[in-house]
Amino acid sequence: MKKIMTTIAALALGAAVFTGCAKKSTKLELYYYKQENQEGLKKIVKAFEQANPGVTVDMIILPNDGDAAMSARAASGTLPDILQMQGYARVREYASKGYLEDLSNEEALTKVTPSTLKSVTYQGKQYGIPMDLAGIGIIYNKALFTKYGVKVPETYKELQEACAKFQNAGIAPFAGLLKENWSVGHFITLVHTALLSEKKIEPEQFVADMNEGKSSYGVVDTAKLFNILTFYKDNMNKNAAETDGTGQQQIFAKGEAAMMVQGLWAYGPAKEINPELDAGFIPFPVFNDASKNKLLADVDSTFVVSSQSSNEKKALAKKFVNWLTSEEGRKLWLNEYKLVPPFKNMDASALGGPFADLSKSTDEKGSYPWAFSWYPSDVFENACKNGAQAYMMGKANSSDVINKIDETWKASVNK
């Protein structure tokens, strides 16, 4: 009996030693909203986990209305450890409330293009890592333009002529997306930002004036703004009201529409549907002066670290964002996530023609900034997106939309 007890004790001691030697497992939460290439991001996360045994990353996807969910979690002190977040206003809002870790001294920031740092800066400190440069404009099917002898439009008049030719040929000029509100939210702000230049108003000055209650969203030529929205709607596929993002990409990729107004994030999924797709990328021509028509191009997403996490998780989350800018992380981001990273000495030519068009257009003409990223979050998320969608659906008129944006902006800055 004594011998049996001694054996049991020895086994228990061995088990205790084995347990003590086992590596502790830590689980991080990563929230992301860019759904265009979820599989690519999963591969990136998997590579990080393999490079860091004992660390697992749970991925949370909230492509629509994610801001509301994250705001609720922030208020309850339970933010995910790592968040993918739009730059400018969203980063500044969270940083001002103390929700984000200061990343100013992280090595990752030494590897990004300095001009992109303003997208993650609040009161002189950096609270995120800029992760992709994106443009919003017209992605067009080169084969269809060639087949029907349509000139690639450089002016608004030429766009009208191109749409008329495609309509006559039985091809939808634009693959629409009205079932979800985010794309037309981008579109109304795209046109609005361009029209500010017509009034010689800098976007930053416009936002500052709105924040101070000195201006209105109707400071631009609103007749022109909403006429362009109407023209866009009238040239969409007939079931645009029932078409979501995936449907839009399918319609375009299959050659059922000649163009789609989107960011380049939509090109990869369309190419996967139709590997033979040959597409180009041009500005949406708001003006009849081609020199004034520019892409909306700016920092899109960033990665930030929650200040609400434990010290251990904060350290690992910072390790993750630094790893993203490592040689392996950069390569995976480009090849798997298929977005243009704003890192120094990066060659994005392998991503294909539209990305080269982005670089060429911005080099030659410059670009309009993503002014919507500077709006108070509630203004863009609710008033702009919902207002544009309601207008396109015939549920609101132009005055309704302008008034709602103005009222929401005023309420947001007076909170």
Side-chain angles (χ1 to χ4, degrees):
M1 183 70 178
K2 183 176 180 181
K3 185 175 182 180
I4 292 173
M5 291 302 293
T6 301
T7 301
I8 293 173
L11 288 171
L13 179 60
V17 170
F18 179 80
T19 302
C21 292
K23 287 190 175 181
K24 180 182 177 183
S25 178
T26 304
K27 184 179 293 186
L28 300 177
E29 272 193 320
L30 185 155
Y31 155 72
Y32 67 107
Y33 65 90
K34 293 177 78 69
Q35 60 183 323
E36 301 81 46
N37 189 354
Q38 297 185 54
E39 295 307 311
L41 188 57
K42 288 176 183 176
K43 290 178 183 178
I44 292 170
V45 167
K46 186 68 175 177
F48 173 75
E49 291 174 336
Q50 290 174 345
N52 296 273
V55 180
T56 58
V57 181
D58 282 353
M59 299 170 62
I60 307 167
I61 172 66
L62 291 171
N64 297 309
D65 298 323
D67 285 336
M70 289 304 108
S71 293
R73 289 193 59 169
S76 65
T78 59
L79 272 177
D81 309 292
I82 307 162
L83 298 93
Q84 184 180 58
M85 181 175 286
Q86 283 194 322
Y88 297 102
R90 200 63 176 163
V91 170
R92 292 168 186 171
E93 176 189 341
Y94 272 50
S96 70
K97 293 178 178 178
Y99 295 156
L100 304 182
E101 280 290 289
D102 178 4
L103 303 180
S104 302
N105 296 321
E106 298 301 319
E107 184 182 1
L109 288 176
T110 67
K111 299 180 181 180
V112 304
T113 305
S115 63
T116 65
L117 292 178
K118 61 184 179 181
S119 67
V120 295
T121 299
Y122 173 70
Q123 293 188 343
K125 296 179 179 179
Q126 286 72 52
Y127 289 87
I129 310 298
M131 282 307 298
D132 73 272
L133 287 170
I136 300 176
I138 295 175
I139 304 174
Y140 69 96
N141 185 319
K142 291 183 178 181
L144 288 179
F145 272 77
T146 299
K147 179 178 179 179
Y148 293 102
V150 180
K151 181 183 184 295
V152 177
E154 296 183 32
T155 66
Y156 186 57
K157 182 179 179 182
E158 290 175 354
L159 179 64
Q160 291 172 307
E161 292 169 350
C163 288
K165 286 186 178 182
F166 284 120
Q167 292 277 23
N168 290 335
I171 301 292
F174 290 104
L177 196 178
L178 294 180
K179 186 176 181 180
E180 298 166 356
N181 66 6
W182 58 273
S183 185
V184 286
H186 286 155
F187 187 73
I188 191 173
T189 55
L190 177 159
V191 179
H192 187 275
T193 302
L195 291 176
L196 284 173
S197 69
E198 191 175 48
K199 299 289 186 179
K200 301 189 186 309
I201 301 172
E202 292 295 328
E204 283 192 271
Q205 186 59 54
F206 165 73
V207 172
D209 288 345
M210 289 293 289
N211 288 339
E212 294 174 17
K214 296 179 180 178
S215 189
S216 163
Y217 211 72
V219 72
V220 300
D221 184 339
T222 54
K224 187 179 291 188
L225 172 64
F226 287 96
N227 282 341
I228 291 174
L229 262 69
T230 299
F231 167 78
Y232 178 40
K233 176 195 172 185
D234 289 346
N235 283 283
M236 290 179 176
N237 51 290
K238 292 180 180 177
N239 64 333
E242 290 80 46
T243 304
D244 60 12
T246 301
Q248 181 194 41
Q249 291 155 14
Q250 290 175 340
I251 291 167
F252 176 70
K254 292 176 181 178
E256 296 170 6
M259 300 173 279
M260 64 176 175
V261 178
Q262 266 295 2
L264 280 184
W265 54 75
Y267 171 68
K271 187 78 170 175
E272 288 180 6
I273 295 167
N274 177 11
E276 302 302 315
L277 178 66
D278 185 13
F281 190 49
I282 57 172
F284 185 96
V286 172
F287 305 108
N288 283 323
D289 179 347
S291 67
K292 294 181 180 178
N293 293 320
K294 306 173 186 179
L295 293 167
L296 235 66
D298 212 327
V299 172
D300 186 3
S301 67
T302 70
F303 274 109
V304 301
V305 173
S306 168
S307 64
Q308 298 176 341
S309 300
S310 68
N311 288 336
E312 178 190 14
K313 290 190 174 184
K314 286 179 190 176
L316 288 172
K318 290 177 182 178
K319 189 172 186 178
F320 175 78
V321 297
N322 280 302
W323 177 85
L324 285 174
T325 64
S326 68
E327 185 175 350
E328 182 183 8
R330 289 155 63 117
K331 184 177 179 180
L332 286 168
W333 185 263
L334 187 66
N335 296 334
E336 298 293 347
Y337 210 35
K338 301 184 187 303
L339 294 175
V340 180
F343 304 149
K344 298 173 183 175
N345 305 314
M346 283 297 298
D347 179 8
S349 59
L351 291 177
F355 295 93
D357 290 343
L358 169 63
S359 298
K360 185 174 184 291
S361 181
T362 55
D363 286 347
E364 291 179 355
K365 299 170 124 185
S367 62
Y368 291 119
W370 286 23
F372 64 81
S373 293
W374 310 340
Y375 298 0
S377 296
D378 196 39
V379 172
F380 180 58
E381 293 300 324
N382 294 315
C384 289
K385 290 182 178 180
N386 291 340
Q389 185 186 42
Y391 178 81
M392 301 289 253
M393 295 288 204
K395 297 179 179 179
N397 61 37
S398 58
S399 296
D400 294 334
V401 177
I402 295 295
N403 291 338
K404 182 63 175 178
I405 293 174
D406 286 350
E407 290 167 4
T408 306
W409 204 307
K410 183 177 180 180
S412 294
V413 296
N414 290 330
K415 279 184 179 178

